[in-house]
Amino acid sequence: MAIVNLDFSLFRSRKIKDIITYLNGLRQKNSDAAICQALLEAVDQEYLQPTVFSIFLPWAKSDEVIVLCIQQCLSRSVRKQGIKHFGIALIDSTKWVFAWRAIGGTRGLVDLFAKLSVAEVKALAAALGRCNRGQRGVQAREKAVEELLRALLPTHYPGSGLKCQDRRPIQAHYAQMIPACSAGFIDQLLNAKDQSNALYQHLPYIRLIKTHSELLRRRLTTSIFHGANRSDFTNQLFGAFAYSQPPRPASQGSGISESMAFALKVLQHRLDSNNAKDWPASISEVDIWSSLLHRSRKRKLSEAKIHSVFMLGLQLLEVKPGLKVKFRSTGIWSELMTRWIRAPEIYEDLLALALHLGLGGSQEAIGQEFMRALGYLKQKPKLRWPLLRLHCLHIPKIGVDIDTVEDFKLLSHQPWACDVFYQLNEDQAVRLLKGLYEVNPEYSFLQRPGRRSILSIEDIKSQRNFNAALLLTILRRKSEEMQRSVKSTVDELRKKAATAREQTDRAQFAKAAAAYAIASGNLDLCKETVTWQKRYIRDPLTVKAIFARDATMTTEGIELLSAIPQRLPDNVRLAEIAANVKKADEILMEFHGMMSLAKREPSFYQPDWNGVTSLFGAAINQRVDRAKEIQKQLQSSEADIYAAIWSGTLEMVEKVGVDFLREVHRPIRALLRTLPPTALAASTAAMLEAGNERRKKMDHQPEHDDLELLSYECLLHLSASDKPELAQKLILQTILDRPGASSWHRQFLSIKFMKSLPAKEAHEMLLAFAAAIGEKLEEQSYVKVGEVEPSKSIPPQSLVKVTTVKYLAQLLDNAEFISADAAIEVLLELFKAGTHRDIRLATLDSLLSLLDSLVSSQEDAWESNALVTKIMAALETIIPIAGSINERLPMRPEDWEEAKETGTLPEIADISSGLPPLLNAMLTAPHEQKYPAIRKLQPDFAARYLLPILRLSQTEHRKWIALFLAKHKADLAIDDLPLTPISTQLWDEVVARYASYIPKTVFEDFNRHIVLTITSPANLQTFNESLRKNVNLRNTPEVQHWLSVFGQEMDQYFGSSTQRIVSMIHHDMPHPSISNAITFDGLLDLVSEHTSLFLQEFERFVDIWDDFVRDLRPPSKTAYPLASVESIRSMYRKWRESGRVALEKVLSILARIRDRHEGEDIRRILPSTTKLQLWLLPYPRFSDTQRADEEWKIFVKELENLHLDLLMENTLRWPQIAEDTYAISEFLDTDAERLRMASCIGEQALRPKHDAADPLSSALILVRVALVMKLIEDGKNGLKTSKGSLSEEARVIIQSLQEVMTGLQGSPNGFIRENTAAWKKEHKSLWNDLMRAKRTLVLAQ
């Protein structure tokens, strides 16, 4: 066989189209078998995945290839694919024989089964079993499979010529091949019932039903109806044939499947003979019938066919009554009711039969069963009476035709629900109720309703079935005769109540009289009866009965007092409804009056009257719900309906007490939400006005809060109505009249409401509001005759809530509902009127937002914008407030004069938690993220606002300081102190944010205060110490403020003002934008002055000095661990232009002072210059490779010169010099650079330029050796193992380091040898890594 070369990469790509094209090309020169063999070898050698055969086998379609995959492949996945396609090849009724022969026929399969794994045996058997798909003319294939089975099971088929030698217990899997056998073979197998035969034990009957349905159905029928051919699989087969298998139609046009036809046949035979000798115990006739009905509905069979299915089921029930429970569980009654409602004429006979058989209920409770059945008739009310008639005709043994019978005795002594009669029309209900009433003189047939109802009174002392009489009254209340009879009955019951001796009898008759009055539906009679009940207020036990919940909160009573019937008559008039509402309200107020009287009695108990208060809410709630239907039925306008129904109701609500009001709050609120805008506005205005009147009386009652809350909710709903402008004036007036309701103010003035107003109305409302605020604030400043003027030291109580005005200002922040110029107009009005700091702060925030919006939209043309100019001018009014010592109460000139005369210190703002809010807002505005466009205005803000604020703050603070010094008799003159603002934080912020826009004088003032914190005058220190020791003074606000400004000493560098100036140097600041701004040299002068002061008292400033000079050192990876190397190098380049200059200046000052001390023999401690000199070395920080070597050489040379200079002073200091020099490791950016530095310095140590015996040269070598070891330790992470080759640079560095360490081991200097040996022992792992073969290490960059 020729060798086939395969393109493995193509097969691995899994591009099916490309692979098919490639295979087609291979086929032109090679056979499919050769290609297959090549693929099998590739899979065996793991060049390809077995999944390649999922493409190859469908393409090849070759029996030879399939057999190769099964027999010669080592891959389980490929064999699985081969078995699958072998099964597919056997399906073809004409070509199956070729596949059979290719695999070696029966003998080949027997051998194959013996070789395959258990899983593959199972798969092959299943594939053989699936080859029979019901084709005709494949007897030869059936015989071949049967021959194979006999060979595989020689024990059960000893006559087989072939015998399987496989002894594994896998015969159960061979049963999967039975569906491919002939019907005769299967019939013989079933007849034998050989339990030892694995084929019989594991018969795949589900598959057999699909392939041999005729055989199995014939055997099943014989088994069930003749008792023959009984099989262990009868239950399974019966269920399958009756429920689902097979799905083929039974006959053309019948609409039913074979399984449905079989089920019909079985059930009919069961019905006719009832002699099924082998009916499966696990399957019920009801299950078969239920499945049959379900499939009949699903197939949408005709009503006649479905009728026959129902009839079959009912006939089965009639023959076998024991199936009733099972039939009920299937929902047959529900199904039948649904069909009857749809076609009463077709299904009436079935419904009658079902009722007769007891599916619709028992004869002891016909009324209850009828009520349950009514749930199906919601859409067909006309069928209710016919359904009841069928119940009465067919459920009892002797039926009653309620259409014609006069005597209802056969229906007596049965419970009947009240709702039965409400479901029928009046004549039918009256006829039935009268008939039952007459035949039940001693039996209470009318059940109590499941709700509170007057019909719950079943009997009273003198009358049985009292509730039936009440129900009859309700049904016939429209009759004049009934109304006369009811009035007479009520009068009679009242008389009985009045004359009864027993309290229980009085209560019962009084309660019955009220129930009769309610049943009549006559509001006049009801009011008369309620008024009559007033006589029992002083009878506590009777009160408990007649005013209890079950007497007052009845369904009928609530409906009557709602004054709107559930079903409105067709000819109803609005005037009639209005009259009824008025009468109902009078009854409710009568109840209210009675309860008010009862409260005066000592026996009053609130829970006894809860039913009365709840009645209020329930009646109004139902009135609200039913009023919605009036608009649909009547042609009246909403205004007319409001006047007719709700005007009186709302007036009533205003008069009731808190107990009643809380009950009606929810329904009244729901009512007001349904009113049209005009009516709602009128109601809201009336309620608000009533609230004003109540407050004027100064007689607060608990219900007043609820009424006020209700009026607010109405106003809020009006603002969200279709006409929000109607709420405009009401909202404004409410806010001004009720300053205490600020939480509601925010909801009234919501953004949603403002957006709903037309532009003109929104503008006018906001402007009017701002003007009204001004008037209110002006009003509060007047002192009325006879009143004492309030103290100026406390802020006045505002007549307008501060939070409300703040919210209004915030509302205008970039608002869409008003133009920018209109918003500015309103904000300016607020700014002028609002003296409260919080109001001004909120207004300022909104003005700044508007300014930001205008500047961002105008780009570079903002300077010519009139609105910008207007806002900028308005912001100037903040200067005298923000620059004062107290933003809440800015000082006037006369206030300062008064303080000077009286010696009283004015209250100063608390700055312990930061700058005052207004000052801070102005200071930070150009830097706030929410005002990005204002950044453009930094120069203007600095010159126009911040510098004037700073100057004013310094001036006012100086006045306060002078008063403070005078008050405490300090030995200090005001001119001895620097000119400071209210807080030094103001300097910090101005200097940090606006250095380019402020004059040098600001820095000079700032620096004078810094100098004061570094070195304070003795008299100032003495004064501050006396204040701190005085227990009575040290915690007072004024002393605390003084010490926060003039009592602070610099005790740490970080956070100090000196650090602030150094940070400006680091950031290459300032860049002067004005002529008199401070320059970089000016900042250096300040730093120089601070340096000199630190050195004058160095022992006091040791820690500060260390932090100070470290802050000036060059940037490094150690100082900025998260920064990238390139970022650090960029910072270093900037440092060379700024920070280095400052560090050199500091070093020169230190050197000058050291020289002066040595010359004058001044023996003071001064800091070392070594680290500063090391920091100033030219570190190789450039990534440019062309300059790198040059930079390294310069650095090493400079380091050597520095070492020589330091050692020349004293060679014995070499250990300290070496330790100081370790600092250079910090300024090398990478471990690679540290190792390179170690290599360079190590080479110098091995090759000294001077005589090694010279002490200076010897000390220099020792310093270098110590530095080399330190650099290797710090750079050890730069070494890692790698399989790759080294770069030339890395190879040179590593080789150099190995030579250096080897040379140090053999140094002629014994001290160096000892140090090297000790270092090797301490860093054994690092030594081994370094000395390893060069090709196993790579220098990590």
Side-chain angles (χ1 to χ4, degrees):
M1 184 180 292
I3 298 176
V4 180
N5 294 318
L6 299 175
D7 185 351
F8 295 147
S9 61
L10 178 62
F11 283 102
R12 290 168 184 162
S13 70
R14 301 290 297 169
K15 296 179 180 178
I16 297 176
K17 290 185 178 179
D18 294 345
I19 293 173
I20 296 297
T21 303
Y22 177 69
L23 289 172
N24 289 334
L26 289 177
R27 181 179 272 173
Q28 294 177 3
K29 297 181 179 180
N30 304 278
S31 65
D32 289 353
I35 299 172
C36 179
Q37 191 64 46
L39 287 172
L40 289 173
E41 291 175 0
V43 169
D44 289 343
Q45 296 174 17
E46 298 184 357
Y47 287 108
L48 294 177
Q49 293 291 326
T51 52
V52 71
F53 279 88
S54 64
I55 302 173
F56 174 72
L57 286 174
W59 169 82
K61 298 178 182 178
S62 167
D63 298 331
E64 183 182 2
V65 164
I66 292 171
V67 172
L68 277 174
C69 291
I70 298 174
Q71 294 180 340
Q72 297 186 18
C73 184
L74 299 177
S75 169
R76 183 169 63 89
S77 298
V78 174
R79 289 198 301 274
K80 183 178 178 181
Q81 289 284 335
I83 290 170
K84 173 185 173 182
H85 285 274
F86 178 69
I88 294 172
L90 291 178
I91 293 173
D92 193 315
S93 59
T94 58
K95 299 180 179 179
W96 70 271
V97 67
F98 302 113
W100 192 271
R101 291 172 181 170
I103 207 165
T106 304
R107 182 180 296 278
L109 282 168
V110 169
D111 295 339
L112 182 61
F113 269 113
K115 295 176 182 178
L116 294 177
S117 67
V118 175
E120 290 163 344
V121 165
K122 183 178 179 181
L124 181 56
L128 287 165
R130 286 192 295 269
C131 70
N132 183 5
R133 292 189 175 179
Q135 306 105 319
R136 297 184 182 274
V138 287
Q139 293 88 351
R141 185 178 61 194
E142 293 174 347
K143 296 297 182 183
V145 175
E146 292 168 11
E147 181 185 4
L148 175 60
L149 281 172
R150 291 188 180 97
L152 291 171
L153 294 150
T155 305
H156 295 282
Y157 301 98
S160 173
L162 298 173
K163 296 186 185 295
C164 179
Q165 302 301 318
D166 192 355
R167 295 293 179 263
R168 290 178 296 174
I170 58 175
Q171 289 79 12
H173 299 309
Y174 299 153
Q176 296 297 321
M177 291 185 277
I178 292 177
C181 298
S182 65
F185 182 86
I186 297 170
D187 196 35
Q188 183 182 5
L189 181 65
L190 292 172
N191 289 335
K193 299 181 183 179
D194 185 359
Q195 293 293 339
S196 65
N197 191 340
L199 299 182
Y200 181 77
Q201 287 180 351
H202 301 278
L203 195 69
Y205 69 90
I206 294 177
R207 180 69 185 167
L208 284 174
I209 290 172
K210 295 180 180 180
T211 58
H212 296 82
S213 58
E214 290 296 333
L215 169 66
L216 296 180
R217 189 184 297 110
R218 184 174 65 251
R219 291 182 60 86
L220 180 62
T221 304
T222 303
S223 172
I224 293 176
F225 299 111
H226 303 289
N229 296 330
R230 178 70 172 88
S231 170
D232 294 332
F233 306 103
T234 298
N235 287 355
Q236 295 92 324
L237 294 175
F238 185 81
F241 278 115
Y243 290 141
S244 58
Q245 297 291 343
R248 295 188 296 273
S251 61
Q252 189 68 28
S254 66
I256 63 175
S257 65
E258 285 188 3
S259 61
M260 292 174 68
F262 180 75
L264 280 170
K265 179 180 177 181
V266 168
L267 291 176
Q268 190 63 49
H269 196 281
R270 179 72 160 156
L271 180 64
D272 294 341
S273 61
N274 195 23
N275 65 343
K277 298 179 180 179
D278 199 18
W279 187 273
S282 62
I283 298 177
S284 168
E285 298 93 330
V286 179
D287 294 331
I288 302 295
W289 176 85
S290 178
S291 174
L292 181 62
L293 178 63
H294 173 71
R295 286 182 286 164
S296 297
R297 288 200 325 268
K298 189 174 181 181
R299 288 174 175 265
K300 298 181 180 179
L301 298 184
S302 65
E303 293 294 342
K305 290 184 178 180
I306 292 178
H307 181 280
S308 65
V309 174
F310 271 110
M311 182 59 77
L312 181 60
L314 294 175
Q315 288 171 347
L316 273 172
L317 176 59
E318 194 170 15
V319 172
K320 301 186 69 174
L323 295 175
K324 183 188 290 186
V325 175
K326 189 75 173 176
F327 263 110
R328 278 183 172 172
S329 68
T330 64
I332 183 174
W333 175 249
S334 175
E335 294 283 354
L336 191 53
M337 280 294 298
T338 304
R339 291 284 167 177
W340 177 73
I341 293 169
R342 188 182 302 168
E345 65 285 351
I346 297 177
Y347 290 94
E348 185 167 333
D349 60 331
L350 294 177
L351 191 63
L353 179 56
L355 288 168
H356 176 69
L357 296 174
L359 290 177
S362 66
Q363 62 179 357
E364 288 80 16
I366 294 174
Q368 293 177 347
E369 302 298 344
F370 170 69
M371 277 304 298
R372 279 195 283 268
L374 281 178
Y376 300 100
L377 300 179
K378 292 180 181 178
Q379 305 301 324
K380 294 286 186 72
K382 292 183 179 180
L383 292 177
R384 293 171 184 168
W385 182 258
L387 179 61
L388 179 60
R389 178 176 173 271
L390 288 173
H391 272 70
C392 295
L393 268 174
H394 299 289
I395 290 180
K397 292 180 179 179
I398 302 175
V400 178
D401 189 348
I402 58 176
D403 272 345
T404 58
V405 75
E406 295 298 331
D407 186 1
F408 287 78
K409 188 174 183 179
L410 293 173
L411 299 179
S412 64
H413 292 82
Q414 289 191 26
W416 289 79
C418 299
D419 288 337
V420 169
F421 304 93
Y422 287 126
Q423 300 298 324
L424 306 174
N425 65 44
E426 184 179 335
D427 293 337
Q428 294 166 348
V430 170
R431 172 178 170 77
L432 178 62
L433 183 58
K434 276 186 173 182
L436 295 173
Y437 191 49
E438 291 172 359
V439 299
N440 289 289
E442 300 299 329
Y443 176 75
S444 299
F445 69 92
L446 200 60
Q447 290 181 308
R448 291 186 177 190
R451 56 191 179 277
R452 291 193 187 97
S453 170
I454 59 174
L455 301 180
S456 298
I457 310 174
E458 291 182 343
D459 306 310
I460 59 174
K461 187 174 183 181
S462 60
Q463 185 177 351
R464 173 77 74 173
N465 283 322
F466 181 73
N467 55 354
L470 290 176
L471 180 56
L472 194 59
T473 301
I474 292 172
L475 294 174
R476 298 183 59 199
R477 63 171 46 161
K478 295 179 183 178
S479 167
E480 293 182 4
E481 180 184 353
M482 178 58 74
Q483 287 295 328
R484 288 193 295 271
S485 174
V486 169
K487 192 170 188 329
S488 174
T489 304
V490 171
D491 290 340
E492 183 65 27
L493 288 170
R494 279 196 237 161
K495 289 178 183 178
K496 290 181 178 181
T499 58
R501 291 185 177 183
E502 297 295 330
Q503 181 275 328
T504 54
D505 294 340
R506 286 197 304 273
Q508 188 182 62
F509 287 128
K511 189 174 179 181
Y516 245 111
I518 292 172
S520 71
N522 189 327
L523 286 165
D524 293 325
L525 180 60
C526 186
K527 181 182 179 184
E528 183 183 330
T529 305
V530 171
T531 305
W532 169 79
Q533 287 179 323
K534 191 183 298 183
R535 67 178 60 198
Y536 296 108
I537 286 177
R538 292 182 179 85
D539 185 347
L541 296 178
T542 304
V543 163
K544 288 180 182 293
I546 64 176
F547 295 125
R549 281 186 177 272
D550 63 345
T552 55
M553 279 290 290
T554 61
T555 305
E556 298 81 6
I558 293 170
E559 180 173 0
L560 180 63
L561 294 180
S562 73
I564 304 174
Q566 186 173 8
R567 296 176 183 174
L568 289 172
D570 294 336
N571 58 350
V572 68
R573 293 179 295 110
L574 185 60
E576 182 182 348
I577 294 175
N580 288 339
V581 168
K582 183 178 180 182
K583 292 177 182 178
D585 288 346
E586 290 173 356
I587 295 172
L588 290 172
M589 288 305 296
E590 191 69 31
F591 275 117
H592 178 266
M594 281 196 293
M595 184 172 172
S596 299
L597 289 174
K599 285 182 177 180
R600 303 174 186 174
E601 299 298 324
S603 60
F604 177 78
Y605 182 52
Q606 177 67 41
D608 293 343
W609 293 85
N610 285 346
V612 174
T613 56
S614 298
L615 178 61
F616 255 74
I620 300 301
N621 190 46
Q622 194 166 101
R623 189 180 298 176
V624 170
D625 291 340
R626 293 186 178 176
K628 300 171 185 176
E629 299 299 321
I630 296 178
Q631 183 69 29
K632 298 177 182 177
Q633 188 164 337
L634 300 179
Q635 298 300 318
S636 304
S637 67
E638 290 184 340
D640 292 338
I641 293 175
Y642 168 74
I645 301 176
W646 302 122
S647 58
T649 302
L650 294 176
E651 288 178 9
M652 177 189 69
V653 170
E654 292 279 352
K655 299 174 184 176
V656 298
V658 66
D659 298 324
F660 293 86
L661 185 59
R662 287 175 181 169
E663 291 292 335
V664 300
H665 185 273
R666 188 184 65 82
I668 289 295
R669 183 173 57 186
L671 155 68
L672 293 168
R673 289 179 178 177
T674 63
L675 292 179
T678 305
L680 181 58
S683 301
T684 305
M687 295 174 72
L688 291 170
E689 183 58 33
N692 292 337
E693 295 298 325
R694 287 192 296 271
R695 285 197 305 278
K696 289 178 183 178
K697 294 179 181 178
M698 305 295 289
D699 181 23
H700 185 269
Q701 298 294 328
E703 60 267 20
H704 294 173
D705 293 334
D706 293 328
L707 289 170
E708 196 77 359
L709 177 63
L710 191 60
S711 66
Y712 293 158
E713 291 175 346
C714 294
L715 182 55
L716 192 62
H717 188 66
L718 179 62
S719 68
S721 69
D722 191 48
K723 296 180 179 179
E725 60 273 9
L726 294 176
Q728 184 177 336
K729 292 182 179 179
L730 293 175
I731 287 176
L732 181 57
Q733 196 59 44
T734 300
I735 292 173
L736 296 174
D737 290 345
R738 295 165 172 81
S742 57
S743 58
W744 281 95
H745 298 171
R746 286 178 172 268
Q747 297 193 49
F748 295 151
L749 287 174
S750 66
I751 294 176
K752 184 178 180 180
F753 168 65
M754 297 306 300
K755 285 183 177 181
S756 67
L757 291 176
K760 183 179 179 182
E761 278 76 5
H763 181 197
E764 290 178 353
M765 178 181 178
L766 294 172
L767 197 58
F769 185 27
I773 289 172
E775 293 173 4
K776 284 284 186 181
L777 295 173
E778 186 178 358
E779 178 185 336
Q780 78 177 9
S781 66
Y782 297 150
V783 180
K784 297 180 181 179
V785 177
E787 290 185 353
V788 179
E789 185 175 0
S791 172
K792 295 178 182 178
S793 62
I794 57 174
Q797 183 177 1
S798 180
L799 296 179
V800 182
K801 200 72 172 179
V802 171
T803 54
T804 301
V805 186
K806 281 174 57 181
Y807 177 69
L808 176 60
Q810 293 163 0
L811 197 66
L812 295 172
D813 189 352
N814 283 325
E816 296 178 341
F817 49 81
I818 190 171
S819 62
D821 54 343
I824 292 171
E825 186 179 359
V826 174
L827 286 169
L828 292 178
E829 190 69 31
L830 277 179
F831 202 75
K832 295 173 186 175
T835 56
H836 195 283
R837 184 179 68 178
D838 292 346
I839 295 176
R840 284 174 168 161
L841 191 61
T843 309
L844 174 62
D845 184 55
S846 296
L847 281 171
L848 290 173
S849 292
L850 277 170
L851 180 62
D852 179 77
S853 178
L854 290 169
V855 172
S856 63
S857 62
Q858 296 290 322
E859 296 183 357
D860 295 333
W862 59 268
E863 294 178 346
S864 59
N865 189 303
L867 293 177
V868 173
T869 304
K870 196 173 184 179
I871 295 176
M872 295 286 280
L875 291 177
E876 290 180 352
T877 59
I878 204 73
I879 294 173
I881 301 166
S884 67
I885 61 170
N886 190 345
E887 289 183 352
R888 292 188 179 275
L889 287 172
M891 296 288 288
R892 298 169 299 177
E894 55 267 32
D895 296 330
W896 284 113
E897 289 298 327
E898 181 182 347
K900 188 174 181 181
E901 292 174 3
T902 61
T904 303
L905 270 176
E907 182 182 355
I908 196 165
D910 181 13
I911 58 171
S912 59
S913 57
L915 293 173
L918 282 172
L919 174 57
N920 187 66
M922 289 297 292
L923 184 65
T924 59
H927 300 274
E928 286 282 356
Q929 291 184 354
K930 60 180 179 179
Y931 311 131
I934 297 184
R935 290 181 181 274
K936 302 177 184 178
L937 307 181
Q938 285 190 54
D940 301 84
F941 260 74
R944 197 166 180 177
Y945 310 121
L946 299 180
L947 286 175
I949 288 173
L950 177 60
R951 295 190 192 101
L952 179 60
S953 181
Q954 288 176 302
T955 302
E956 290 226 332
H957 195 233
R958 185 179 181 83
K959 293 178 183 178
W960 189 90
I961 292 297
L963 291 173
F964 180 86
L965 294 174
K967 178 180 178 179
H968 293 283
K969 299 181 176 59
D971 185 21
L972 285 168
I974 188 67
D975 294 333
D976 295 337
L977 300 173
L979 192 61
T980 60
I982 188 174
S983 171
T984 56
Q985 185 183 349
L986 177 57
W987 265 329
D988 289 334
E989 296 293 335
V990 169
V991 165
R993 298 174 186 270
Y994 304 96
S996 300
Y997 312 112
I998 57 177
K1000 183 178 180 180
T1001 54
V1002 174
F1003 281 90
E1004 292 171 351
D1005 291 340
F1006 184 31
N1007 187 57
R1008 278 194 286 271
H1009 183 267
I1010 299 174
V1011 170
L1012 189 71
T1013 62
I1014 297 174
T1015 173
S1016 303
N1019 55 352
L1020 177 60
Q1021 293 182 25
T1022 302
F1023 177 61
N1024 288 341
E1025 190 64 27
S1026 67
L1027 291 176
R1028 292 189 180 99
K1029 289 181 178 180
N1030 193 320
V1031 179
N1032 297 324
L1033 288 178
R1034 63 189 180 195
N1035 291 323
T1036 60
E1038 60 189 57
V1039 172
Q1040 288 290 310
H1041 177 78
W1042 163 269
L1043 293 176
S1044 70
V1045 179
F1046 294 108
Q1048 301 299 318
E1049 295 182 357
M1050 190 180 294
D1051 54 358
Q1052 63 180 20
Y1053 170 73
F1054 291 105
S1056 67
S1057 299
T1058 300
Q1059 190 209 6
R1060 172 78 68 186
I1061 294 174
V1062 170
S1063 69
M1064 295 173 65
I1065 290 176
H1066 279 318
H1067 291 88
D1068 195 20
M1069 292 174 60
H1071 300 288
S1073 297
I1074 58 176
S1075 58
N1076 58 344
I1078 194 168
T1079 61
F1080 184 82
D1081 291 338
L1083 289 178
L1084 282 180
D1085 291 340
L1086 299 181
V1087 172
S1088 300
E1089 184 178 359
H1090 297 176
T1091 301
S1092 299
L1093 292 173
F1094 291 148
L1095 293 174
Q1096 283 178 10
E1097 299 182 72
F1098 177 71
E1099 293 182 11
R1100 178 180 158 211
F1101 296 110
V1102 171
D1103 293 337
I1104 291 177
W1105 174 265
D1106 287 343
D1107 292 336
F1108 169 56
V1109 294
R1110 284 178 67 83
D1111 198 21
L1112 290 170
R1113 64 183 173 168
S1116 66
K1117 187 69 175 176
T1118 305
Y1120 300 95
L1122 299 180
S1124 65
V1125 172
E1126 186 54 42
S1127 175
I1128 292 173
R1129 287 171 177 167
S1130 175
M1131 288 189 284
Y1132 181 75
R1133 285 191 288 269
K1134 185 181 292 185
W1135 175 85
R1136 289 179 61 174
E1137 304 298 326
S1138 55
R1140 180 185 180 88
V1141 177
L1143 186 59
E1144 288 174 343
K1145 187 83 170 179
V1146 170
L1147 180 60
S1148 66
I1149 294 172
L1150 174 58
R1152 187 172 62 251
I1153 292 176
R1154 288 177 67 89
D1155 292 342
R1156 182 166 58 83
H1157 282 193
E1158 290 177 4
E1160 299 177 6
D1161 195 22
I1162 300 174
R1163 299 182 180 182
R1164 285 185 184 173
I1165 297 176
L1166 287 173
S1168 170
T1169 61
T1170 303
K1171 287 186 177 181
L1172 276 65
Q1173 291 174 290
L1174 286 168
W1175 293 341
L1176 288 172
L1177 291 175
Y1179 290 91
R1181 308 295 286 274
F1182 298 96
S1183 56
D1184 186 355
T1185 54
Q1186 294 181 353
R1187 299 179 55 190
D1189 291 340
E1190 181 183 352
E1191 292 290 334
W1192 283 100
K1193 291 177 182 178
I1194 293 173
F1195 177 81
V1196 172
K1197 180 63 177 177
E1198 292 292 330
L1199 180 61
E1200 179 183 5
N1201 293 338
L1202 176 59
H1203 282 157
L1204 288 173
D1205 291 341
L1206 295 172
L1207 289 170
M1208 285 178 66
E1209 297 178 7
N1210 187 352
T1211 56
L1212 297 178
R1213 289 187 65 248
W1214 75 264
Q1216 181 62 45
I1217 294 172
E1219 185 176 348
D1220 290 343
T1221 310
Y1222 292 164
I1224 69 170
S1225 177
E1226 178 183 342
F1227 300 102
L1228 297 172
D1229 295 327
T1230 65
D1231 290 329
E1233 291 180 355
R1234 293 182 181 92
L1235 294 176
R1236 181 169 184 172
M1237 180 66 72
S1239 171
C1240 295
I1241 297 174
E1243 290 177 357
Q1244 286 187 333
L1246 293 179
R1247 303 176 182 85
K1249 297 179 180 179
H1250 308 284
D1251 184 5
D1254 179 35
L1256 179 63
S1257 179
S1258 178
L1260 179 61
I1261 292 172
L1262 292 173
V1263 169
R1264 287 173 175 171
V1265 169
L1267 184 57
V1268 167
M1269 293 178 179
K1270 173 63 176 174
L1271 289 171
I1272 293 176
E1273 290 174 24
D1274 291 348
K1276 63 183 177 182
N1277 292 330
L1279 298 172
K1280 63 179 181 180
T1281 59
S1282 172
K1283 294 181 180 180
S1285 59
L1286 292 173
S1287 66
E1288 180 62 24
E1289 180 186 7
R1291 187 189 63 77
V1292 170
I1293 291 174
I1294 291 172
Q1295 184 176 356
S1296 174
L1297 286 174
Q1298 291 173 335
E1299 292 174 357
V1300 166
M1301 300 311 293
T1302 303
L1304 294 178
Q1305 273 187 308
S1307 172
N1309 188 319
F1311 184 73
I1312 293 177
R1313 291 196 304 274
E1314 291 174 3
N1315 276 358
T1316 305
W1319 188 86
K1320 176 182 177 182
K1321 182 178 180 181
E1322 184 179 355
H1323 302 88
K1324 185 176 181 180
S1325 177
L1326 177 58
W1327 178 277
N1328 292 336
D1329 288 343
L1330 181 61
M1331 303 307 292
R1332 194 177 302 167
K1334 292 188 287 292
R1335 292 190 59 81
T1336 63
L1337 291 176
V1338 62
L1339 197 61
Q1341 297 297 321

